[in-house]
């Protein structure tokens, strides 16, 4: 598909999304309950005789204008979603926000997703019917993202920049591995740390050392390896408010992994129409004791920055520099590397 046709398709997708948002607001206004002040005098509200009915959760206070944040997802950003359940968040980004370059993944296989989440069949059909269809990948471990070659972001930008703009993990959780709170906290902290390191491609100390050397030797001519997450790209994580989630200390985990904390804001469920929170174990008959949409949540945004120097790494870099002997002239280095790369291609 040519760039002109692609842009036209994106504009049509955006207009279609705006129409759906407007239709959603009209339907919400139509279904809104009539205020008590508009009832006729003497009219009484009927009470339902349902002693076994579950108490309805208190309505959430509306988000004030000063607290609202724009979604950290732009229309033309290359977005990777990991840990999806029924893929309703992917559908919301595409339909309601007009995001044209979304790729979504799940840890479960496609068969497991179909068994856990009955809504997936409809969502899958909607995402597959788009032009181009939204790529869905199953059996993807969020802690090993950079090892999956099909998930490398290939883009045709004029500046030649590669890598994802945004990688998003909605409500990460290891599942009910233990009833012990401390063990649960440690397990989920390990999940987040490994996820951050995988996005930055620093799970292997050797790989991290290579990145540090490349940062130090900016003028060194070498074969360019595309980044998984581009420099300045963002990682988005959404968690519920309150314990035990606040015990995870997600900000500190991100800083320790080498990320910059950009912001955190209250997660506005109404900003993502059609998105429903689902559990790791799957859909519970009867809906369970609570719904994720009724709970307060917070969205954290982190940014990829150059890796900060580490004492051991600096010592190793200096050691390798000494073992390499005198530095060869720039022109000679380029010829040697060009010859090596030609040999690799053959």
């Amino acid at each position: 598909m040519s760039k002109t046709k692609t842009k036209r398709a994106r504009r049509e997708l955006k207009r279609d999304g705006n129409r759906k948002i407007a239709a959603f607001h009209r339907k919400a206004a139509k279904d809104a309950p009539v205020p008590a002040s508009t009832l006729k005098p003497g009219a009484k509200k009927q009470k339902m005789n349902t002693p076994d009915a579950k108490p309805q959760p208190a309505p959430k206070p509306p988000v004030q204008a000063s607290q609202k944040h724009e979604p950290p997802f732009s229309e033309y950003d290359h977005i990777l979603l990991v840990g999806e359940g029924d893929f309703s968040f992917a559908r919301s980004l595409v339909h309601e926000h007009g995001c044209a370059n979304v790729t979504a993944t799940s840890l479960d296989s496609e068969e497991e997703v179909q068994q856990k989440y009955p809504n997936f069949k409809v969502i899958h059909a909607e995402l597959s019917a788009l032009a181009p269809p939204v790529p869905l990948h199953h059996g993807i471990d969020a802690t090993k993202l950079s090892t999956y070659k099909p998930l490398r972001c290939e883009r045709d930008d004029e500046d030649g920049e590669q890598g994802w703009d945004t990688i998003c993990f909605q409500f990460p959780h290891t599942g009910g591995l233990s009833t012990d709170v401390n063990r649960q906290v440690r397990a989920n902290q390990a999940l987040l740390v490994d996820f951050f390191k995988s996005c930055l491609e620093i799970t292997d100390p050797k790989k991290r050392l290579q990145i540090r050397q490349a940062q130090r030797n900016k003028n060194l001519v070498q074969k360019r390896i595309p980044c998984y997450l581009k420099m300045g790209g963002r990682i988005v994580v959404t968690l519920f408010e309150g314990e035990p989630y606040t015990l995870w200390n997600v900000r500190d985990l991100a800083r320790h992994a080498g990320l910059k904390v950009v912001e955190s804001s209250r997660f506005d469920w109404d900003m993502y129409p059609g998105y429903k929170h689902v559990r790791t174990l799957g859909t519970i008959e009867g809906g369970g004791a609570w719904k994720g949409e009724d709970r307060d949540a917070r969205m954290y945004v982190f940014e990829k920055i150059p890796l900060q120097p580490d004492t051991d790494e600096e010592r190793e870099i200096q050691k390798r520099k000494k073992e390499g002997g005198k530095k060869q002239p720039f022109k000679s280095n380029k010829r040697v590397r060009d010859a090596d790369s030609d040999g690799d291609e053959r």
Side-chain angles (χ1 to χ4, degrees), residues 21 28 38 54 72 85 294 320:
I21 292 175
T38 61
K54 296 181 180 179
D294 297 330
R320 292 188 178 188

Side-chain angles (χ1 to χ4, degrees), residues 84-105:
E84 284 286 273
D86 61 359
F87 292 85
S88 61
F89 189 70
R91 179 180 61 180
S92 181
L93 288 185
V94 173
H95 282 176
E96 309 299 338
H97 294 275
C99 297
N101 300 296
V102 176
T103 298
T105 70

Side-chain angles (χ1 to χ4, degrees), residues 136-317:
L136 304 183
H137 298 268
H138 303 278
I140 303 299
D141 188 343
T143 65
K144 302 176 182 178
L145 286 177
S146 56
T147 64
Y148 299 101
K149 291 184 178 180
L151 292 181
R152 287 277 173 182
C153 181
E154 298 180 359
R155 44 203 297 176
D156 55 355
D157 295 358
E158 295 180 356
D159 57 4
E161 192 172 24
Q162 298 295 319
W164 296 102
D165 294 296
T166 304
I167 301 177
C168 178
F169 201 164
Q170 288 290 103
F171 301 100
H173 202 282
T174 57
L177 298 179
S178 172
T179 56
D180 183 80
V181 175
N182 292 329
R183 290 186 63 184
Q184 280 276 15
V185 169
R186 289 194 295 270
N188 285 286
Q189 285 180 326
L191 169 64
L192 285 171
V193 169
D194 291 343
F195 164 64
F196 291 146
K197 288 185 176 181
S198 180
C199 294
L200 300 176
E201 301 177 277
I202 56 174
T203 53
D204 183 2
K206 292 182 179 179
K207 178 66 175 178
R208 178 184 170 90
L209 187 61
Q210 291 176 356
I211 296 175
R212 284 287 303 123
Q213 284 182 301
Q215 289 179 183
R216 284 173 58 95
N217 304 321
K218 294 182 179 180
N219 296 326
L220 186 64
V221 178
Q222 58 184 356
K223 186 177 180 180
R224 186 174 181 181
I225 302 176
C227 296
Y228 196 78
L229 175 67
K230 75 172 189 179
M231 188 62 66
R234 298 192 170 188
I235 297 177
V236 178
V237 176
T238 305
L239 300 174
F240 286 118
E241 294 272 32
E243 294 187 358
Y245 306 98
T246 52
L247 300 177
W248 298 4
N249 296 321
V250 62
R251 292 186 183 89
D252 292 338
L253 298 179
R255 291 191 189 99
H256 185 70
L259 293 167
K260 174 185 175 182
V261 179
V262 177
E263 65 175 357
S264 71
S265 59
R266 179 180 173 185
F267 182 70
D268 188 358
W269 295 90
D270 296 333
M271 198 173 288
Y272 302 92
Y275 172 47
K276 301 294 183 182
H277 173 269
V278 293
R279 290 175 170 83
T280 306
L281 298 177
T283 302
I284 299 177
E285 186 176 356
W290 55 271
K291 291 183 178 180
E293 303 87 79
D294 297 330
R295 300 179 63 178
D296 291 333
R298 182 160 290 272
M299 177 174 277
Y300 301 87
V301 181
F302 309 105
E303 181 180 329
K304 179 181 178 180
I305 58 176
L307 293 178
Q308 300 302 310
D310 177 84
T311 305
D312 294 336
E313 290 174 351
E314 291 298 317
R315 190 181 297 114
E316 180 65 23
I317 291 175

